[in-house]
């Protein structure tokens, strides 16, 4: 074990649920060399390695008998500019929202709808982060990852990442790829996405007639601050379940039984149901069992009122999944990564 590794470190400050479990070993990586050194040392000690960024998409259900490697690499840059297209790159440990704001300050648009998502640049491709009608795949220009099986670096193109709805090749192969830096193709002119949720309405309320990318970002930040609990005040990992995709047949059956069901048709004929609507209909909104609960305003968000363990939150999630399946015949899939 190297001198920079700490032992028996509480992960409470490193996960937004605020769950107090311990890492057997903990280290920070500020760049590629430190990543490689940590992985080599862990291999020598036959220790598993859990890579984390901001800890905003984790559910930690017990002490982690591994090296927890916290990505702390920083740096962002303009790589190229041709006509309207600007390619930017950021290191994995860059805080996502700061990177989005930096890109806007460079006069680049494309990431504004993804404002105020917690976490790091390096974790964003894991679930192809998305919000308000934009996913990173829409502006993705490539990433560099370390293959933890071979120690080789690999550049991934958009096609190679296998992005899907809150999904990617990296999420489907946990522990294989360590993402070091990510590139985005942004634009000097604005291609605004305003048709999702209350974005247009908020801009209207704010008196914005011709929105800039920064104005869209500001509007989205204000909506998110109103709707979502701040992890610094109330532990949570954002949406706890993915919105389920169901067949058109099941969708129509549900619509016949529940005319108010919130469902969005997909290009492939399936329907995307709002999981939050199903959970609210089933009466879980605001539910609390000890310190584990369902947020009182946003039923898709599970919350830790203080001392909830990851196991308690997981048990609550499983109860909700079973109930939603029994009532609606719909399977809810957890979004955070369970350890
Ligand atoms: P972590 O939680 O640290 O890690 C998540 C997973 O990625 C883990 O499996 C980890 O091992 C792996 N990982 C982390 N870094 C790397 C790396 N460099 N290389 C390889 N693997 C890595 N998500 C959305 O998609 N849209 C939203 O609008 C959104 N809103 C949110 C709002 C709130 C209040 C919260 C708390 C969460 C929200 N999320 C949202 C979820 C979360 O913020 C994102 O998924 C974010 O990208 C996670 O980043 P992180 O750095 O915190 O990852
Ligand atoms: P919302 O606006 O209340 O909408 C509820 C759900 O309906 C959303 O989950 C969204 O699906 C879907 N939806 C809304 N308008 C849509 C449209 N025009 N077309 C297709 N689907 C539509 O949602 P919210 O909870 O306040 O979140 C706002 C956005 O931020 C959403 O995109 C959401 O995914 C994202 N967000 C994500 C997390 C997370 O942890 N993953 C946390 C907070 C917010 P989608 O989720 O598929 O977009």
């Amino acid at each position: 074990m190297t001198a920079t590794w700490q032992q028996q470190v509480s992960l409470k400050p490193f996960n937004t649920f605020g769950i107090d479990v311990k890492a057997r070993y903990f280290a920070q990586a500020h760049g590629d060399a430190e990543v490689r050194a940590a992985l080599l040392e862990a291999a020598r000690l036959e220790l598993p390695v859990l890579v984390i960024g901001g800890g905003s998409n984790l559910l930690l259900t017990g002490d982690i008998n591994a090296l927890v490697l916290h990505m702390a690499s920083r740096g962002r840059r303009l790589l190229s500019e041709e006509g309207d297209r600007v390619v930017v790159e950021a290191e994995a440990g860059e805080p996502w929202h700061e990177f989005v704001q930096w890109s806007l300050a460079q006069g680049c648009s494309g990431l504004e709808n993804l404002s105020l998502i917690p976490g790091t640049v390096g974790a964003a491709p894991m679930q192809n982060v998305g919000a308000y009608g934009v996913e990173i795949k829409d502006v993705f220009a490539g990433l560099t990852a370390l293959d933890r099986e071979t120690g080789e670096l690999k550049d991934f193109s958009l096609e190679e990442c296998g992005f899907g709805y809150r999904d990617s090749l990296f999420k489907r192969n946990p522990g294989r790829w360590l993402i070091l830096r990510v590139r985005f193709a942004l634009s000097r002119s604005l291609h605004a996405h305003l048709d999702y949720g209350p974005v247009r309405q908020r801009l209207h309320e704010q008196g914005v007639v011709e929105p800039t990318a920064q104005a869209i970002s500001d509007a989205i930040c204000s909506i998110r601050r109103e709707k979502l609990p701040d992890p610094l005040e109330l532990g949570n990992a954002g949406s706890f379940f993915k919105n389920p995709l169901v067949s058109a047949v099941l969708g129509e059956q549900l619509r016949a039984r529940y005319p108010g069901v919130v469902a969005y048709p997909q290009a492939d004929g399936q329907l995307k149901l709002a999981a939050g609507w199903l959970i609210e209909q089933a009466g879980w909104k605001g539910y609390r069992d000890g310190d584990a609960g369902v947020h009182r305003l946003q039923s898709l968000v599970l919350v830790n009122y203080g001392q909830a363990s990851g196991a308690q939150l997981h048990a609550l999630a499983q109860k909700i999944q079973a109930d939603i399946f029994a009532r609606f015949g719909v399977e809810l899939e957890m979004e955070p990564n369970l350890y």
Side-chain angles (χ1 to χ4, degrees):
M1 181 195 128
T2 69
T4 51
W5 290 16
Q6 296 169 269
Q7 293 190 55
Q8 299 301 329
V9 171
S10 169
L11 293 177
K12 190 169 177 173
F14 296 101
N15 73 102
T16 58
F17 259 128
I19 292 165
D20 197 5
V21 295
K22 285 195 169 53
R24 182 167 164 206
Y25 296 105
F26 181 88
Q28 304 223 353
H30 298 89
D32 296 13
E34 287 183 10
V35 165
R36 280 187 184 278
L39 294 182
L40 276 174
E41 181 66 357
R44 193 182 68 77
L45 298 171
E46 297 184 6
L47 264 180
V49 178
L50 170 58
V51 177
I52 62 166
S56 63
N57 212 13
L58 302 178
L59 181 60
L60 304 173
T61 56
D63 289 342
I64 307 291
N65 185 17
L67 167 68
V68 172
L69 186 62
H70 180 231
M71 293 302 292
S73 49
R74 302 294 290 260
R76 51 206 184 191
R77 54 200 77 90
L78 294 180
L79 282 187
S80 65
E81 179 157 5
E82 216 184 301
D84 190 48
R85 187 177 190 264
V86 184
V87 178
V88 298
E89 180 181 70
E91 298 298 313
E94 278 287 322
W96 175 261
H97 180 65
E98 284 179 28
F99 169 60
V100 172
Q101 293 306 309
W102 172 83
S103 73
L104 295 171
Q106 305 307 305
C108 302
S109 74
L111 295 173
E112 54 278 2
N113 287 42
L114 303 174
S115 297
L116 216 60
I117 298 179
T120 53
V121 167
M126 285 294 289
Q127 68 162 19
N128 176 29
V129 291
Y132 297 98
V134 174
E135 300 174 325
I136 62 158
K137 75 168 173 49
D138 302 329
V139 285
F140 183 81
L143 64 77
T144 303
L146 181 69
D147 185 344
R148 288 174 52 183
E149 284 178 9
T150 64
E152 308 262 303
L153 289 183
K154 176 169 166 56
D155 284 338
F156 283 81
S157 67
L158 173 65
E159 293 70 32
E160 288 172 317
C161 292
F163 289 129
Y165 173 64
R166 304 286 186 269
D167 195 28
S168 71
L169 167 92
F170 313 105
K171 188 156 184 174
R172 293 190 292 275
N173 294 276
R176 168 94 190 257
W177 299 101
L178 198 157
I179 297 167
L180 294 170
R181 55 193 66 86
V182 189
R183 293 172 284 284
F184 298 94
L186 305 179
S187 184
R188 286 287 178 206
S189 56
L190 175 64
H191 307 280
H193 297 272
L194 304 178
D195 293 329
Y196 212 79
V199 181
R200 194 184 293 278
Q201 176 64 24
R202 178 57 53 98
L203 286 162
H204 180 69
E205 286 161 12
Q206 293 176 338
V208 178
V209 182
E210 281 191 35
T212 59
Q214 187 64 60
I216 296 169
S217 167
D218 293 346
I220 284 173
C221 289
S222 76
I223 297 167
R224 292 183 71 107
R225 287 199 179 97
E226 276 169 22
K227 285 190 81 169
L228 287 165
D230 179 349
L232 291 175
E233 289 162 15
L234 186 60
N236 75 89
S239 303
F240 199 88
F241 300 104
K242 293 186 191 179
N243 288 324
L245 296 170
V246 300
S247 68
V249 174
L250 177 55
E252 285 319 312
Q253 287 168 355
L254 286 171
R255 215 191 280 283
R257 271 169 58 206
Y258 308 96
V261 67
V262 179
Y264 297 92
Q266 303 298 290
D268 62 2
Q270 290 187 300
L271 282 179
K272 181 181 76 178
L273 303 179
W277 186 89
L278 298 172
I279 296 167
E280 186 172 344
Q281 287 302 302
W284 289 97
K285 196 174 188 175
Y287 174 89
R288 179 169 176 172
D289 181 5
D291 273 355
V294 179
H295 192 247
R296 60 185 179 83
L297 298 177
Q298 171 53 287
S299 47
L300 203 47
V301 177
L302 298 196
V303 292
N304 176 10
Y305 284 100
Q307 304 301 321
S309 67
Q312 284 166 331
L313 285 157
H314 190 212
L316 172 57
Q318 287 174 315
K319 270 194 211 166
I320 294 172
Q321 284 172 317
D323 187 40
I324 298 304
F325 187 70
R327 284 173 195 263
F328 304 107
V330 174
E331 284 184 38
L332 290 186
E333 190 185 334
M334 271 179 51
E335 188 178 294
N337 303 274
L338 189 75
Y339 295 101

